[in-house]
Each structure stands twice: as C-alpha cells, then as structure tokens.
C-alpha cells in the first residue's frame, strides 16, 4: 500500500511494526483469545517485547512518556497495528484516547496518579457514557447524576457496555452535574476509581460470538469521590468526550483497514489455491467480483481515511470527514471479511481461521462509537444544509448565507451538537 508523505524513517518504522504484529502478535492470537491466565501471560510477554524493540506507545506525546511520533506517521502505523485485534494492547496504544483526554484536561494530581501508569500499560481505563434505560445515540438523555456534597461528588449511575471496567483502574463517568443548564452543558466527566465503595460490576454482558472485551453493566450507588476528580470544567462533559473521540476515530479506521487487508489476503490465498468445477476459484466470475470489489472498497476507504487525517493534521476538526469514514470504513470492513468467509466455505465459518472472530468484531463497529445511522444523519444534515432550491427552478441550487441557515436549521444544529 502506498504511503504518501511518509519519510524513509517512517516507512522503516512501519515495516518494523508490521513484522512485530505478523511475527509475534498474530501467532499468539489463539492464546490471547482464550481469556484465561494464559492470556494475561501472553499479553505480558508481548508488551515486554514491544518495549524492548522500541515499539511501545509510539503515538503518545513524549512529555507523558510516549514515543512522540507526529500525527500522520502514527496514522499510518495504525494500519499495520490493526492487522491483529490484539495489536493495540501489545504495543501500548489501547488506552491512547483516555491518555490524551487526561493529558488535555487532567489536573497535575490526576495526571500523576493515572496518566503515567496508563501510558506504561500498567493499568487500564474505562469510560461510562451509555445507559441501558436511554438511547446512547442521544447522550443528552443520560440520567446518571453527580452532586457536590461538601468536598466530594456523590455519584449515582447505571451504565452498560462500559468496556473493560472489570479490569480497569478507573471509569470516567459522564453524569448530570448542572441539571438547570441548557441540555448540552448539563454533563461533566468525573474519574471514579473502580475500587470505590458503592461501585458495582453488575455483570459482564454476554455478547455475540463471546469474543471478550469485558463489556460491563455497572451501578454506582452513592459513590463518593473527591471533588478534584472532576475532569475538565463543570458542564463540559460533551466537550471532553468529543476531544476523546475525534482523532481516535481516524486511528480506529486505519486499524479496520489493517483487518480488512488481512481478510483480503486470506481471501486471495484461498481463491488462488481452491479448485472446483474445472477451475480455481480465482478464475470464476463471481469470486473475481469479490476480489475486485474488495480491492476497490479498501482503496476508497483508505484514501478517505487519509484525507480525514490530512484535514485534521491541518487543524480542522474534520467532523464530516470523520463521520464519513466511521460508517463507510465499518461497512467496508464488514463486507470484505464477509466475502473472505464465503470464499473459504465451511473453513471460513470455523474458528480454525481468525475470520469468524474478525467478523463479529467488525459487526460491533457499526454500533459502537456511534451507530452508522447517526453518522450518516450528521453528514446528510451538514451537506444538505449548504444548499437551498431557488424558487421556480428546483434543480438549481445555490449556497445560502450562514446566518439564514442557522435560523432555518436551528433544530438540526441542536441535533448535531448532541451527535458526538
Ligand atoms: C462493542 C461495544 C463497545 C462499547 N463500548 C462502550 C464503552 O466503553 N463506553 C460506553 O459508554 N459505551 C460503549 N458502547 C455503547 C455504544 O456507544 C452505544 O451502543 C451506541 O452509542 C448506541 O447507543 P445504544 O446502544 O443505546 O443504541 P440506541 O441509541 O438505542 O440506538 C439503537 C439504534 O437506533 C438507530 N438510531 C439511533 N439514533 C438514530 C438516528 N438519529 N437516526 C436513525 N437511526 C438511529 C440505530 O440503528 C441504532 O443502532 C459500546 C457498544 C458496543 C457494541
């Protein structure tokens, strides 16, 4: 795959990372997927190896103990890290979004207590936004609360799909702290250590394919944490969450490409060696369509993702570009793995190959971190609102003035602010 803009050193680093993932992480996948004591030991060995080879936490800023790699080279690195679902954890980038959130908004004490061990890979974070009772797609509906009681926050919350809470040192809980404020300024982010009295893991929610991930239902009942555990300003919870998600989605999409490319390689290897009805699968029209369409879709998703990264690198929030790649990239990932499974027949359905697990993981991407429909709706609103029909000539569209648009689409803008 072409890597425009990457220096010779950047390309060499990417190649080293690719070798590490292909030669050390992928062979360890059977042990890593079992979710037992052997898994912990296997992951510990990989982390030590990544540190020894100078491949640890490369995208984290230097001042917090990371490699200080600039944004674009790190974007490219994610494509090869993503070849294995376990790549992120093995090379110390799993908690990057939380590290950046703490780096941007954490107090001196919060950074000392949580950030250093997070970057070192000694602890894991978790984030609690979604609640079972209300639509996670509209976070303004969240019901969890936190109120000041002397020097402490008293938190009452019911969350679920708090991924990794069962092994995390803390959960960043999003809760209403300003009930009388406008709806986008009601919520704050509060760091709650998972061993605080009143913090209960109700259960690890059983999920499709039993692929692990520790998606927990948690309940916090009158949990007291010092008022300094507030992350960012009071009422700025949505801003904190938005900053956490933005660049993270670009890294996700690059890793999905790594997964899609691996599935594509498996598809081609099978198609060029399996013989049926007088020819190799790779010589049959329908299978050729799978290969050609997969190649085109991967290429398109990759260029779109790199374009979003470029826009962000140039200082834009790139929200439309990121929404585009979030739903488009998730679909490409899903469809390429689906075709790869099909080309393998029964073997594709078996867990002798990684494809079955990859498929389940790919399916979740269309829901987690914002359902497809929400991202599409955001893009459609943004795109459509720049145009209005001219009276008497419905097919001719001209851009309208911003102020007029704001007035006409006040409701949509409201909706857009809720969509992060
Ligand atoms: C694997 C996984 C890991 C997750 N990890 C975390 C985590 O660590 N922390 C956390 O807080 N949350 C996490 N989540 C939750 C995730 O963020 C939510 O599932 C997501 O935001 C959707 O919310 P919901 O499940 O409540 O679905 P709902 O909001 O109830 O939406 C259900 C469906 O309604 C449709 N829909 C919703 N809004 C619209 C709209 N505007 N237009 C059209 N259709 C719409 C979509 O089809 C959507 O899938 C995780 C989810 C998964 C699957």
């Amino acid at each position: 795959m072409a890597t425009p803009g990457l220096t010779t050193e950047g390309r060499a680093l990417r190649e080293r990372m690719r070798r590490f993932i292909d030669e050390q992480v992928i062979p360890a996948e059977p042990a890593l997927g079992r979710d037992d004591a052997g898994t912990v030991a296997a992951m510990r060995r990989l982390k030590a190896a990544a540190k020894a080879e100078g491949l640890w936490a490369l995208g984290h800023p230097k001042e917090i103990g990371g490699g200080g790699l600039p944004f674009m080279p790190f974007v490219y690195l994610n494509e090869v890290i993503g070849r294995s679902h376990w790549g992120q954890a093995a090379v110390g980038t799993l908690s990057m979004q939380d590290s950046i959130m703490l780096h941007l908004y954490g107090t001196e004490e919060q950074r000392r207590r949580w950030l250093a061990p997070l970057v070192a890979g000694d602890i894991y974070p978790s984030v609690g936004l979604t609640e079972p009772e209300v639509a996670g797609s509209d976070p303004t509906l969240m019901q969890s609360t936190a109120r000041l009681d002397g020097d402490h926050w008293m938190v009452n919350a019911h969350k679920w799909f708090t991924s990794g809470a069962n092994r995390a040192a803390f959960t960043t809980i999003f809760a209403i702290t300003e009930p009388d404020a406008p709806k986008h300024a009601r919520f704050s982010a509060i760091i709650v250590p998972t061993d605080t009295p009143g913090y209960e893991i109700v259960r690890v929610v059983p999920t499709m394919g039993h692929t692990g991930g520790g998606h927990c239902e948690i309940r916090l009942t009158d949990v007291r944490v010092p008022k300094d555990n507030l992350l960012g300003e009071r009422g700025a919870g949505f801003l904190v969450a938005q900053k956490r998600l933005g660049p993270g989605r670009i890294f996700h999409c690059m890793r999905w490409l790594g997964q899609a490319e691996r599935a594509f390689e498996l598809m081609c290897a099978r198609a060029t060696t399996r013989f049926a009805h007088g020819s190799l699968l790779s010589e049959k029209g329908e299978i050729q369509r799978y290969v050609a369409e997969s190649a085109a879709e991967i290429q398109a998703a990759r260029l779109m993702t790199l374009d979003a990264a470029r826009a962000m690198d140039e200082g834009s929030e790139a929200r439309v570009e990121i929404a585009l790649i979030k739903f488009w990239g998730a679909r490409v990932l899903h469809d390429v793995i689906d075709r790869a499974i099909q080309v393998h027949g029964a073997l594709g359905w078996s867990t002798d190959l990684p494809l079955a697990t990859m498929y389940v993981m790919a399916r979740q991407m269309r829901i987690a971190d914002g359902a497809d429909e929400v991202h599409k709706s955001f893009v459609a609103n943004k795109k459509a609102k720049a145009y209005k029909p001219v009276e008497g000539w419905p097919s001719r569209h001209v851009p309208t003035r911003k102020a007029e648009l704001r007035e006409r689409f006040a409701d949509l803008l409201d909706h857009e602010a809720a969509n992060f």
Side-chain angles (χ1 to χ4, degrees), residues 126-139 141-142 159-165 172 174 207 212-216 244 361 363-375 377-378 415 420:
S126 56
V127 164
L129 280 150
T130 310
E131 300 175 1
E133 293 83 5
V134 290
S137 303
D138 181 355
L141 301 175
M142 269 190 289
K159 303 278 182 185
W160 84 329
F161 276 81
T162 312
S163 303
T172 305
F174 289 79
T207 53
H215 305 300
C216 297
R244 179 181 181 276
M361 296 293 189
R363 186 63 187 84
Q364 76 182 28
M365 302 313 176
R366 296 186 47 209
I367 300 170
D369 203 4
D372 284 1
E373 294 86 345
V374 178
H375 291 287
S377 169
F378 176 74
H415 165 76
F420 61 84

Side-chain angles (χ1 to χ4, degrees), residues 22-55:
D22 282 6
E23 293 169 13
Q24 301 207 45
V25 183
I26 288 178
E29 280 180 349
L32 294 168
R34 276 198 297 271
D35 215 3
D36 56 19
T39 306
V40 177
M43 184 49 79
R44 200 178 298 130
R45 272 195 302 278
L46 287 171
K47 285 177 172 181
K51 286 179 183 176
E53 294 190 26
L55 295 174

Side-chain angles (χ1 to χ4, degrees), residues 24 26 67 85 117 125 203 239 287 343 416:
Q24 301 207 45
I26 288 178
H85 168 67
R203 63 181 177 138
L239 180 71
I287 306 295
V343 170
E416 169 199 315

